Amino acid sequence: MADVFDPSKLNRRVRIERPVADTSLDGAGSGTWALVKEVWAEVQDTLPSRSEKLADGINVTARPARVRIRYRDDVASNMRLVLLRKKVPVRTMQIVSGPAELGTREGLEMMVEEYRPAGNLA
C-alpha cells in the first residue's frame, strides 16, 4: 500500500532554495542560491543497515534523509533545502532523489544528503 501523506508530521521549518548561475566571465561554478519558499516539512534521517548501504550505494557520511512537504509544483531536483532551527540555518541538504508526488498532489517526498559544493574544497 502506498504511503499516505500526513500533514500533522510537518514539524520542521526548511527553506527551499534554487541555484542562480553567476553570468560573469570569471564566475564559472560560483553561483549563489535564491529563496523559493520557507515551508513546514517532515525530516527523517535514514540509518541504513550495512546491506542497504552496500546494495543501494548510500553514503552514510552524507547523512541521508527523507523529506516530505506539502505539494508544490516548483520544486526540482537541482534545488537544495536548508533546515532551520529558530530561523537559524542548521543543515544544508541537496536533493538526490525525487521529488516524488504523494497521493493526488497532497505532498512531495525527496531523498536528500548533506550539501557539498563541487570542487576541491577541504
Coordinates of all heavy atoms in Angstrom, one line a residue, residues 26-67:
D26 N 34.4 35.4 -15.2 CA 35.2 34.6 -14.3 C 34.3 33.9 -13.2 O 34.9 33.4 -12.3 CB 36.3 35.4 -13.7 CG 35.8 36.5 -12.9 OD1 34.5 36.8 -12.9 OD2 36.6 37.1 -12.1
G27 N 33.0 33.8 -13.4 CA 32.2 33.3 -12.4 C 31.8 31.8 -12.5 O 30.9 31.4 -11.8
A28 N 32.4 31.0 -13.4 CA 32.1 29.6 -13.6 C 32.1 28.9 -12.2 O 33.1 28.9 -11.5 CB 33.0 29.0 -14.6
G29 N 31.0 28.2 -11.9 CA 31.0 27.4 -10.7 C 30.8 28.2 -9.4 O 30.9 27.7 -8.3
S30 N 30.6 29.5 -9.5 CA 30.4 30.4 -8.3 C 29.1 31.0 -8.2 O 29.0 32.1 -7.7 CB 31.6 31.4 -8.3 OG 31.4 32.3 -9.4
G31 N 28.1 30.3 -8.5 CA 26.7 30.8 -8.4 C 26.2 31.0 -7.0 O 26.9 30.6 -6.1
T32 N 25.1 31.5 -6.8 CA 24.5 31.7 -5.5 C 23.2 30.9 -5.4 O 22.8 30.2 -6.3 CB 24.3 33.2 -5.2 OG1 23.4 33.7 -6.2 CG2 25.6 33.9 -5.2
W33 N 22.5 31.1 -4.3 CA 21.2 30.4 -4.0 C 20.2 31.4 -3.7 O 20.4 32.4 -3.0 CB 21.3 29.4 -2.9 CG 22.2 28.2 -3.3 CD1 23.6 28.2 -3.0 CD2 21.9 27.0 -3.9 NE1 24.1 27.0 -3.5 CE2 23.1 26.3 -4.1 CE3 20.7 26.5 -4.4 CZ2 23.1 25.0 -4.7 CZ3 20.7 25.3 -5.0 CH2 21.9 24.5 -5.2
A34 N 19.0 31.3 -4.3 CA 17.9 32.2 -4.1 C 16.7 31.5 -3.4 O 16.4 30.3 -3.7 CB 17.4 32.8 -5.4
L35 N 16.1 32.2 -2.5 CA 15.0 31.6 -1.7 C 13.8 31.4 -2.7 O 13.4 32.3 -3.4 CB 14.6 32.5 -0.6 CG 13.3 32.1 0.2 CD1 13.6 30.9 1.0 CD2 12.9 33.3 1.1
V36 N 13.2 30.2 -2.6 CA 12.0 29.9 -3.3 C 10.8 30.1 -2.3 O 9.9 30.8 -2.6 CB 11.9 28.5 -3.9 CG1 10.6 28.1 -4.5 CG2 13.0 28.3 -4.9
K37 N 10.9 29.4 -1.2 CA 9.9 29.5 -0.2 C 10.3 28.8 1.1 O 11.2 27.9 1.1 CB 8.6 28.7 -0.7 CG 7.4 28.9 0.2 CD 6.7 30.2 0.0 CE 5.4 30.2 0.9 NZ 4.8 31.5 0.8
E38 N 9.9 29.3 2.2 CA 10.1 28.6 3.5 C 8.8 27.9 3.8 O 7.7 28.4 3.8 CB 10.3 29.7 4.6 CG 11.2 29.3 5.7 CD 11.5 30.4 6.7 OE1 12.5 31.1 6.3 OE2 10.9 30.5 7.7
V39 N 9.0 26.6 4.1 CA 7.8 25.7 4.3 C 8.0 24.8 5.5 O 9.1 24.6 6.0 CB 7.5 24.8 3.1 CG1 7.2 25.7 1.9 CG2 8.7 23.9 2.8
W40 N 6.9 24.2 6.0 CA 7.0 23.1 7.0 C 7.3 21.8 6.4 O 6.8 21.5 5.2 CB 5.6 23.1 7.8 CG 5.4 24.2 8.7 CD1 4.6 25.3 8.4 CD2 6.0 24.5 9.9 NE1 4.7 26.2 9.4 CE2 5.6 25.7 10.4 CE3 6.9 23.8 10.7 CZ2 6.0 26.3 11.6 CZ3 7.3 24.3 11.9 CH2 6.9 25.5 12.4
A41 N 8.1 21.0 7.0 CA 8.5 19.7 6.5 C 8.6 18.6 7.6 O 8.7 18.9 8.7 CB 9.9 19.9 5.8
E42 N 8.6 17.4 7.1 CA 9.0 16.2 8.0 C 10.3 15.8 7.5 O 10.5 15.5 6.3 CB 8.0 15.1 7.8 CG 8.3 13.9 8.6 CD 7.4 12.7 8.3 OE1 6.5 12.8 7.4 OE2 7.6 11.6 8.9
V43 N 11.3 15.8 8.4 CA 12.7 15.4 8.0 C 13.0 14.1 8.8 O 13.0 14.2 10.1 CB 13.7 16.5 8.3 CG1 15.1 16.1 8.0 CG2 13.3 17.8 7.6
Q44 N 13.2 13.0 8.1 CA 13.5 11.7 8.8 C 14.9 11.3 8.3 O 15.1 11.0 7.2 CB 12.5 10.7 8.3 CG 11.5 10.4 9.2 CD 10.6 9.2 8.7 OE1 10.6 8.9 7.5 NE2 9.9 8.6 9.6
D45 N 15.9 11.3 9.3 CA 17.2 10.8 8.9 C 17.1 9.3 8.6 O 16.3 8.6 9.2 CB 18.2 11.0 10.1 CG 18.6 12.4 10.2 OD1 18.8 13.1 9.2 OD2 18.9 12.9 11.4
T46 N 17.9 8.9 7.6 CA 17.9 7.5 7.2 C 19.1 6.8 7.7 O 20.2 7.3 7.5 CB 17.9 7.4 5.6 OG1 16.8 8.2 5.1 CG2 17.8 6.0 5.1
L47 N 18.9 5.7 8.4 CA 20.0 5.0 9.0 C 20.0 3.6 8.4 O 19.4 2.7 9.0 CB 19.9 4.9 10.5 CG 19.9 6.3 11.2 CD1 19.6 6.1 12.7 CD2 21.2 7.0 11.0
P48 N 20.6 3.4 7.3 CA 20.6 2.1 6.6 C 21.4 1.1 7.3 O 22.4 1.4 7.9 CB 21.1 2.4 5.2 CG 22.0 3.6 5.4 CD 21.4 4.4 6.5
S49 N 21.0 -0.2 7.1 CA 21.8 -1.3 7.6 C 23.0 -1.4 6.7 O 23.0 -0.8 5.6 CB 21.0 -2.6 7.6 OG 20.7 -3.0 6.3
R50 N 24.0 -2.2 7.0 CA 25.2 -2.4 6.2 C 24.8 -2.9 4.8 O 25.3 -2.5 3.8 CB 26.2 -3.4 6.9 CG 27.4 -3.6 6.1 CD 28.4 -4.4 6.9 NE 29.5 -4.8 6.1 CZ 30.6 -4.1 5.8 NH1 30.7 -2.9 6.3 NH2 31.6 -4.6 5.1
S51 N 23.9 -3.9 4.7 CA 23.5 -4.4 3.4 C 22.8 -3.4 2.6 O 23.0 -3.3 1.4 CB 22.6 -5.6 3.6 OG 21.4 -5.3 4.3
E52 N 22.0 -2.5 3.2 CA 21.3 -1.5 2.4 C 22.4 -0.5 1.9 O 22.3 0.0 0.8 CB 20.3 -0.7 3.2 CG 19.1 -1.5 3.5 CD 18.2 -0.8 4.5 OE1 18.7 -0.1 5.4 OE2 17.0 -0.9 4.4
K53 N 23.3 -0.1 2.7 CA 24.4 0.8 2.3 C 25.2 0.3 1.1 O 25.4 1.0 0.2 CB 25.3 1.0 3.5 CG 26.5 1.9 3.3 CD 27.3 2.1 4.5 CE 28.8 2.2 4.2 NZ 29.6 2.3 5.4
L54 N 25.5 -1.0 1.1 CA 26.3 -1.6 0.0 C 25.4 -1.7 -1.2 O 25.8 -1.4 -2.3 CB 26.9 -2.9 0.4 CG 27.9 -2.8 1.5 CD1 28.3 -4.2 2.0 CD2 29.1 -2.0 1.1
A55 N 24.2 -2.2 -1.1 CA 23.3 -2.5 -2.2 C 22.8 -1.2 -2.9 O 22.7 -1.2 -4.1 CB 22.1 -3.4 -1.8
D56 N 22.5 -0.2 -2.1 CA 21.9 1.0 -2.7 C 22.9 2.1 -3.0 O 22.6 3.1 -3.5 CB 20.8 1.5 -1.8 CG 19.6 0.6 -1.6 OD1 19.5 -0.3 -2.5 OD2 18.9 0.6 -0.6
G57 N 24.2 1.8 -2.6 CA 25.2 2.8 -2.8 C 25.0 4.1 -2.0 O 25.4 5.2 -2.4
I58 N 24.4 3.9 -0.8 CA 24.2 5.1 0.1 C 25.4 5.4 0.9 O 26.0 4.5 1.5 CB 23.0 4.8 1.1 CG1 21.7 4.6 0.3 CG2 22.9 5.9 2.1 CD1 20.5 4.1 1.1
N59 N 25.8 6.6 0.9 CA 27.0 7.0 1.7 C 26.5 7.6 3.0 O 25.9 8.7 3.1 CB 27.7 8.1 0.9 CG 29.0 8.6 1.6 OD1 29.2 8.2 2.7 ND2 29.7 9.5 1.0
V60 N 26.7 6.9 4.1 CA 26.2 7.3 5.4 C 26.8 8.6 5.9 O 26.2 9.3 6.6 CB 26.4 6.1 6.4 CG1 25.9 6.5 7.8 CG2 25.6 4.9 6.0
T61 N 28.1 8.8 5.5 CA 28.7 10.1 6.0 C 28.0 11.3 5.3 O 28.2 12.4 5.8 CB 30.2 10.1 5.6 OG1 30.3 10.0 4.2 CG2 30.9 9.0 6.3
A62 N 27.2 11.1 4.3 CA 26.5 12.2 3.7 C 25.2 12.5 4.4 O 24.4 13.4 4.0 CB 26.2 11.9 2.2
R63 N 24.9 11.8 5.5 CA 23.7 12.0 6.3 C 22.4 12.0 5.5 O 21.7 13.0 5.4 CB 23.8 13.2 7.2 CG 24.9 13.2 8.2 CD 24.9 14.4 9.1 NE 23.6 14.5 9.8 CZ 23.3 15.7 10.4 NH1 24.0 16.7 10.4 NH2 22.1 15.7 11.0
P64 N 22.1 10.9 4.8 CA 20.9 10.9 4.0 C 19.6 11.0 4.9 O 19.6 10.6 6.0 CB 20.9 9.5 3.3 CG 21.8 8.7 4.2 CD 22.8 9.6 4.8
A65 N 18.6 11.7 4.3 CA 17.3 11.8 5.0 C 16.2 11.8 4.0 O 16.4 12.1 2.8 CB 17.4 13.2 5.8
R66 N 15.0 11.5 4.5 CA 13.8 11.6 3.7 C 13.1 12.9 4.1 O 12.9 13.1 5.3 CB 13.0 10.4 3.9 CG 11.6 10.4 3.2 CD 10.8 9.1 3.4 NE 11.5 8.1 2.6 CZ 12.1 7.0 3.0 NH1 12.2 6.8 4.3 NH2 12.6 6.1 2.2
V67 N 12.6 13.7 3.2 CA 11.9 14.9 3.5 C 10.6 14.9 2.8 O 10.5 14.6 1.6 CB 12.8 16.2 3.1 CG1 12.0 17.5 3.3 CG2 14.1 16.2 3.7

